[in-house]
Amino acid sequence: MKDYFIILLSELMVIPAGFLCLAPMKNQLKYSYKRILLRMAFLMLLLLPTGAFLNYMFEFPPNVTLGPMVLIAFFAYRSCVTTSFAKAAAVFSFVLVFMSVGSNMANFVDAVYNPESGANSFSLAFGLSNLGFSIVICLSLFHLLRKYASFLIDHMNENPIWWITVVISMIFLTMELFIVPLKYETLYVNRIISVFLMLNALAFSMELLLGTIFYHIVKSLLNLADLRVRNSILEMQEKAFLKQQRYVEENARIRHDFKHTLRSILMMAENKDMEGISSFLEEYVKTIPEKEIINYSANNALNAVLNYYATDAANRKIDVTFRIEEPDPEKLPLSGTELCSMIGNMLENAVSAAAAQDSDNRYISLSTRIVNGNEFYITVINSFDGQTKMRNGHYLTTKKSGSGIGLRSVISTAEMHGGMANFHHEGTEFYSDIVIPLKQ
């Protein structure tokens, strides 16, 4: 029983590892912390004693049973989070690197107390130090991952980039596995023990450094993208302001000239020149400027976006209908920039698609509404030529100069705030539906 519990002790490092994996997912959990901890406790009570029993009975090397246990733990972890498979794999492999460093340091401690032994044998020194190092690593990195890595998880939605981080972590993990000393006595040959410690320190620091660099690069790219959206909105606001200014100036000029107009009409009325009055009024009406700025929304930035695309659509002979119902800004989880970006992306795609039609029946309908007081719906219906490109169930851009990231941006923004976006088409009509839960 003593040997069995020593083996079991050496496997308890998966528990701190589990907590560390959950840290970046604070906003991406499917269930409450209490429910997840209960599921994790049940799984550990099932896996750890079974793994320890197999190691004890058949004298398997530690990694023979630990490998399948880690794989099972990963899929259990994946089932508890809402992120993509790539994000979950990136976090999991990142944590594995640090835990493997802790295990190798536990081998070093074991080598000090049991120099005649090796990494494939279990001892109390290894079990205690392995658990101790894993707890220290968990406490050291938990806050960093919860604060900074969660930002990356919530905002970075390019899966290929996450797969690259998985590959990098697996390279470091492979290195850690290859430097495990099968015989501790080899550590005392020449300077092997110094190289062993240096490689462990290098793996730990390099993985942490690469994570830090990745965070700052992604944050800079996200800030740059946000700045571009803000600049685009400001340009739209500027155009809307200039149009409004021209409208005000024209109205001021007309009001100034109106008294002269009345005098002319009065003179023609005194002369009973009805045809002259009619002709004069027709010409006068043509000089009155049409209202160029429409107040669709109380949000100035959103109103500028709507007016910009309404004008763009009108220039392309596309009928536009906007029906805007806005929630309380304090209840809407979207920032002003995110809301404008989502609607701007959808309208940009809708205008481009409708303009590509050969038919004269071009139209766009945008509506926003509040349903049941707790959900905010955005719906865009537009006509198009019926030609689509799809891959793996996702729509691809049909524009020659398009990047195709507009719809992906809308989807990622909606999912980031607990909502969802759906796109489909029927014949020559394209539907874009977004739902965002409102704050209670």
Side-chain angles (χ1 to χ4, degrees):
M1 290 302 295
K2 178 182 177 182
D3 293 340
Y4 172 78
F5 280 111
I6 287 176
I7 297 173
L8 182 63
L9 179 64
S10 67
E11 295 178 346
L12 291 180
M13 48 82 65
V14 299
I15 296 177
F19 281 102
L20 205 54
C21 287
L22 291 174
M25 301 293 183
K26 65 175 184 178
N27 300 320
Q28 305 293 336
L29 300 178
K30 283 185 180 179
Y31 317 108
S32 65
Y33 276 110
K34 181 179 179 181
R35 186 175 176 183
I36 290 175
L37 291 177
L38 287 174
R39 288 163 65 99
M40 190 167 72
F42 176 78
L43 182 64
M44 293 301 102
L45 286 174
L46 188 65
L47 286 181
L48 295 183
T50 303
F53 177 77
L54 292 175
N55 278 326
Y56 176 75
M57 291 298 297
F58 301 101
E59 297 183 354
F60 290 142
N63 290 334
V64 170
T65 54
L66 189 60
M69 287 169 57
V70 167
L71 194 61
I72 294 171
F74 169 73
F75 284 104
Y77 166 67
R78 174 71 182 89
S79 68
C80 294
V81 297
T82 59
T83 59
S84 65
F85 191 93
K87 288 184 182 181
V91 172
F92 199 83
S93 57
F94 186 79
V95 171
L96 279 182
V97 173
F98 291 108
M99 291 301 161
S100 65
V101 171
S103 291
N104 271 337
M105 292 306 299
N107 283 321
F108 167 73
V109 174
D110 193 26
V112 172
Y113 287 95
N114 303 292
E116 73 288 348
S117 184
N120 288 334
S121 58
F122 297 95
S123 70
L124 184 62
F126 174 79
L128 289 174
S129 55
N130 195 23
L131 179 61
F133 278 119
S134 64
I135 292 174
V136 170
I137 291 171
C138 179
L139 294 176
S140 301
L141 299 180
F142 187 86
H143 176 71
L144 293 175
L145 294 184
R146 184 175 174 81
K147 182 177 180 180
Y148 298 106
S150 63
F151 173 84
L152 298 178
I153 294 295
D154 294 342
H155 294 87
M156 184 62 194
N157 297 296
E158 294 297 325
N159 284 335
I161 296 178
W162 287 108
W163 283 119
I164 291 173
T165 67
V166 172
V167 172
I168 293 173
S169 294
M170 294 309 295
I171 291 173
F172 282 110
L173 183 61
T174 303
M175 183 189 78
E176 285 295 309
L177 292 176
F178 269 100
I179 65 173
V180 173
L182 299 180
K183 295 289 185 179
Y184 289 152
E185 58 190 25
T186 59
L187 292 176
Y188 296 95
V189 177
N190 296 325
R191 301 174 62 185
I192 296 296
I193 195 166
S194 300
V195 174
F196 175 76
L197 294 175
M198 184 185 69
L199 288 175
N200 274 286
L202 182 64
F204 187 94
S205 57
M206 285 298 295
E207 183 78 349
L208 193 60
L209 178 61
L210 289 174
T212 303
I213 294 172
F214 179 62
Y215 168 80
H216 285 290
I217 290 175
V218 170
K219 189 172 183 180
S220 298
L221 291 175
L222 292 173
N223 288 339
L224 181 60
D226 185 62
L227 182 61
R228 287 176 177 170
V229 172
R230 290 178 184 273
N231 286 339
S232 177
I233 294 171
L234 287 174
E235 289 176 4
M236 294 179 188
Q237 286 180 305
E238 183 183 17
K239 291 178 181 179
F241 172 76
L242 292 175
K243 289 181 180 180
Q244 185 70 50
Q245 190 177 41
R246 286 196 300 269
Y247 171 74
V248 172
E249 290 173 353
E250 281 294 314
N251 273 325
R253 181 186 62 78
I254 291 172
R255 285 195 302 270
H256 180 268
D257 296 340
F258 191 61
K259 61 181 178 180
H260 303 297
T261 302
L262 290 177
R263 286 173 183 169
S264 299
I265 294 174
L266 181 60
M267 290 179 63
M268 286 187 284
E270 289 175 351
N271 295 327
K272 298 181 179 181
D273 184 4
M274 300 307 294
E275 290 184 4
I277 292 174
S278 178
S279 177
F280 183 85
L281 288 175
E282 287 180 4
E283 291 297 322
Y284 181 76
V285 168
K286 293 178 182 178
T287 65
I288 300 175
E290 296 181 2
K291 187 176 181 181
E292 296 184 1
I293 300 299
I294 301 176
N295 291 321
Y296 296 109
S297 167
N299 184 323
N300 291 330
L302 179 58
N303 197 60
V305 171
L306 295 174
N307 274 276
Y308 175 84
Y309 285 106
T311 302
D312 189 21
N315 293 336
R316 303 188 190 201
K317 298 180 180 180
I318 303 171
D319 294 329
V320 175
T321 303
F322 293 155
R323 299 182 183 89
I324 307 299
E325 181 184 2
E326 297 176 274
D328 185 342
E330 294 183 356
K331 291 186 176 182
L332 185 65
L334 297 170
S335 67
T337 301
E338 289 172 329
L339 178 62
C340 290
S341 177
M342 289 180 72
I343 292 180
N345 275 321
M346 295 167 70
L347 288 178
E348 180 182 13
N349 288 334
V351 170
S352 297
Q357 279 183 279
D358 294 331
S359 170
D360 293 332
N361 185 26
R362 303 172 178 178
Y363 57 88
I364 298 172
S365 174
L366 165 70
S367 65
T368 65
R369 65 192 188 279
I370 303 167
V371 179
N372 299 326
N374 58 7
E375 291 181 327
F376 181 56
Y377 279 80
I378 305 172
T379 302
V380 177
I381 304 173
N382 64 272
S383 60
F384 77 116
D385 59 10
Q387 302 297 318
T388 62
K389 292 181 181 179
M390 300 189 72
R391 181 186 299 163
N392 299 326
H394 298 286
Y395 287 96
L396 303 177
T397 181
T398 56
K399 296 182 288 185
K400 292 182 180 179
S401 60
S403 63
I405 65 172
L407 295 185
R408 281 184 287 164
S409 173
V410 170
I411 293 171
S412 63
T413 303
E415 291 179 348
M416 185 173 64
H417 294 286
M420 63 179 185
N422 179 53
F423 306 97
H424 66 282
H425 71 280
E426 295 179 7
T428 57
E429 274 193 336
F430 193 88
Y431 300 86
S432 304
D433 299 302
I434 298 173
V435 58
I436 304 290
L438 298 176
K439 297 177 182 177
Q440 300 301 311

